[in-house]
Amino acid sequence: MKIAILALQGAFAEHQQMLQKLGVESFLIRNLDDWNQEKDGLIIPGGESTAMMRIIKDEELFEPVSQAIKNGLPTFGTCAGLIMLDDTHLNTMNIEAKRNAYGRQLGSFYTEDEFEGIGTIPMTFIRAPYINKVGEGVKVLSTVDGHIVAARQGKQLVTSFHPELNEDTRVHDYFVKMIAE
Amino acid sequence: MEDRTTLNRNLAQMLKGGVIMDVTTPEQARIAEAAGACAVMALERIPADIRAAGGVSRMSDPKMIKGIQEAVSIPVMAKCRIGHFVEAQILEAIEIDYIDESEVLSPADDVYHIDKRKFNVPFVCGAKDLGEALRRINEGATMIRTKGEPGTGDVIQAVRHMRMMQSEIRRLVSMSEDELYEAAKQLRVPYELVQYVHENGKLPVVNFAAGGVATPADAALMMQLGAEGVFVGSGIFKSGDPVKRAQAIVKAVTNYQNPKIIAELSEDLGEAMVGINEGEIQLLMAERGK
């Protein structure tokens, strides 16, 4: 199994380290040449979604990435990655994300809460979004204080927090198993 | 529970691989955001103008900073003077995302830096070498940048600072454990920080390049030298075509190892900012605060 990590901007190295811990091969995507390699899954990391959108369009990656996900490429988006998959960006998932939902950096926080199918996990929220609305086919996997912070639709998984920033590898393991399903 | 320090280091991690741009108006902030900046630094005058104007340079008007916070959704940073903890308190009160305790402004204290652990908002600080970087981290900085020589368009000092830090990090990595105590003494930092660098081969926080970056090639140079992202101050809005140059620098940071892409990005950028060579400068800002 080989997982591609979108490395246009943000915390992509942290995802690579998580996959390494799980013994899963990965590679970074910065342009169209990188994208054209064989892959079994895709991770869109945290960072700034406006920066990622700008670069994904300029590098002519927008269409191919969006098409591949719609055609079933298993994809995992964290924080900005969640925003990238929503209905106003790559538009591959029936979710409406609320950006900077917890305010500025002073609103960033850490908590531990339930994730369906895994149990209690650490959750780090950094200027995080949450999901305002879910549409057809979307299953909510976790809520914190009444807000949706993790969801799945087919082979797409999103979290508004950052599993890649903690030692716990269970969410990444969940994604790897999702690919193998 | 994780503490503020960890959350603040985490925000810097999200900025990696990105470009932080100096802006002086909401309009410039919107241009920077649209060009793909991962954050903006709000200030009344960019370093090149501070240099030209001379005199005492202070924190910007909070109203001006708030105008920029309202204009964009990306993180907004702002500068306070070295040691001026009340300016920092003001920036925290308006919920700034990152404070730059910066040598670009006139220092308020020639002995003490701000005790940054007392704050909930994060701080980035400049450093010329590993000792300075670790001292700032010990005071609570959760992100480091090279000092460079701001407002000159001359990258030589940023290169020197980054090379110095990387070479000192490699030296620590190669030491035997008993040598680390003496290294801590020489660097004037706690043993634990030296031990971290020895074991991990990097700073415990994100390290950006800053000072004198004016072209996509400059930005890629700093990334290849080990920077995890780039601050661009005067280089963008002092150039002939800010929008095009801003976009080109953003893309050069993403594809910093790809000369073919950087070559394309470097075409037709118009006038770069007028540079001042290191030897022609009257005031060395990098010498402020050690």
Side-chain angles (χ1 to χ4, degrees), chain A residues 8 10 14 54 99 105 127, chain B residues 8 13-14 16 34 73 254:
Chain A
L8 305 178
E14 286 76 357
R54 174 83 239 172
R99 287 192 64 196
Q105 174 61 4
R127 284 174 47 97
Chain B
N8 289 341
Q13 285 173 275
M14 296 306 140
K16 283 192 298 181
S73 65
T254 297

Side-chain angles (χ1 to χ4, degrees), chain B residues 51 70 72 81 105 123 132 142 183 220 227 232 256 273 280:
Chain B
R51 196 173 276 289
E70 279 159 25
V72 294
R81 284 180 266 175
L105 306 182
F123 281 82
E132 261 186 57
T142 50
V232 186
Y256 69 96
M273 71 176 285
E280 302 163 2

Side-chain angles (χ1 to χ4, degrees), chain A residues 7-11 13-14 30-31 46-48 50-51 54-55 58-59 99-100 104-106 108-110 124 126-127 162 164-166, chain B residues 1-2 4 7-8 10-11 13-18 34-36 38 69 73-75 95 97 120-122 247 250-251 254-255 258 261:
Chain A
L8 305 178
Q9 189 272 324
E14 286 76 357
R30 295 189 155 99
N31 51 55
E48 282 304 320
T50 50
R54 174 83 239 172
I55 308 169
D58 287 349
E59 296 295 335
R99 287 192 64 196
N100 298 338
R104 302 182 190 283
Q105 174 61 4
L106 283 173
S108 293
F109 66 103
Y110 171 85
T124 299
I126 304 294
R127 284 174 47 97
H162 292 279
E164 75 279 14
L165 293 178
N166 305 102
Chain B
M1 284 302 282
E2 293 208 29
R4 289 307 308 177
L7 293 169
N8 289 341
N10 288 158
L11 175 58
Q13 285 173 275
M14 296 306 140
L15 302 175
K16 283 192 298 181
C38 68
Q69 284 176 315
S73 65
I74 54 179
E95 298 195 19
D97 290 301
N120 287 319
V121 287
Q247 289 176 6
V250 166
K251 283 185 269 178
T254 297
N255 282 293
N258 192 324
I261 292 179

Side-chain angles (χ1 to χ4, degrees), chain B residues 33-277:
Chain B
E33 183 177 50
C38 68
V40 289
M41 176 76 69
L43 70 176
E44 270 161 352
R45 278 193 301 224
I46 55 174
D49 292 336
I50 290 174
R51 196 173 276 289
V56 175
S57 178
R58 309 177 180 88
M59 178 191 77
S60 299
D61 182 340
K63 189 175 169 189
M64 171 263 163
I65 298 169
K66 284 201 250 174
I68 287 171
Q69 284 176 315
E70 279 159 25
V72 294
S73 65
I74 54 179
V76 177
M77 302 182 165
K79 292 180 194 292
C80 73
R81 284 180 266 175
I82 289 173
H84 205 315
F85 50 86
V86 174
E87 284 186 350
Q89 288 164 5
I90 292 169
L91 293 174
E92 182 168 66
I94 62 168
E95 298 195 19
I96 203 76
D97 290 301
Y98 241 97
I99 297 176
D100 184 1
E101 188 185 15
S102 176
E103 69 283 0
V104 169
L105 306 182
S106 307
D109 193 320
D110 56 2
V111 180
Y112 300 106
H113 278 75
I114 295 170
D115 178 359
K116 295 169 271 291
R117 293 177 191 271
K118 287 221 167 72
F119 289 79
N120 287 319
V121 287
F123 281 82
V124 54
C125 284
K128 297 195 299 293
D129 52 44
L130 184 61
E132 261 186 57
L134 294 178
R135 287 196 289 281
R136 298 296 87 78
I137 292 166
N138 193 39
E139 292 157 4
T142 50
M143 179 176 182
I144 292 293
R145 54 170 176 76
T146 59
K147 283 180 165 173
E149 196 48 40
T152 61
D154 188 358
V155 81
I156 185 170
Q157 300 230 12
V159 166
R160 190 182 293 151
H161 302 162
M162 187 55 75
R163 277 196 181 275
M164 176 61 85
M165 266 188 247
Q166 299 297 343
S167 123
E168 287 176 307
I169 288 171
R170 284 191 294 272
R171 204 176 125 249
L172 277 192
V173 169
S174 70
M175 281 182 181
S176 67
E177 295 205 351
D178 53 356
E179 289 170 332
L180 296 178
Y181 296 98
E182 176 61 19
K185 197 171 87 184
Q186 281 175 8
L187 293 168
R188 294 185 281 140
V189 295
Y191 173 76
E192 289 68 31
L193 285 175
V194 169
Q195 191 186 26
Y196 180 93
V197 175
H198 172 71
E199 282 170 6
N200 296 280
K202 62 187 202 63
L203 295 179
V205 304
V206 166
N207 188 12
F208 267 48
V213 174
T215 67
D218 288 348
L221 172 69
M222 295 313 301
M223 294 296 288
Q224 289 196 24
L225 285 171
E228 294 177 282
V230 175
F231 283 86
V232 186
S234 320
I236 289 171
F237 290 102
K238 277 278 160 191
S239 72
D241 189 344
V243 174
K244 199 167 178 195
R245 186 165 294 263
Q247 289 176 6
I249 293 177
V250 166
K251 283 185 269 178
V253 167
T254 297
N255 282 293
Y256 69 96
Q257 288 162 314
N258 192 324
K260 244 171 110 175
I261 292 179
I262 300 168
E264 283 166 28
L265 295 172
S266 303
E267 283 181 18
D268 286 330
L269 283 180
E271 285 281 311
M273 71 176 285
V274 179
I276 319 168
N277 287 311

Side-chain angles (χ1 to χ4, degrees), chain B residues 15-36:
Chain B
L15 302 175
K16 283 192 298 181
V19 181
I20 300 168
M21 301 180 192
D22 279 2
V23 296
T24 58
T25 62
E27 182 53 30
Q28 286 186 355
R30 277 188 283 265
I31 291 173
E33 183 177 50

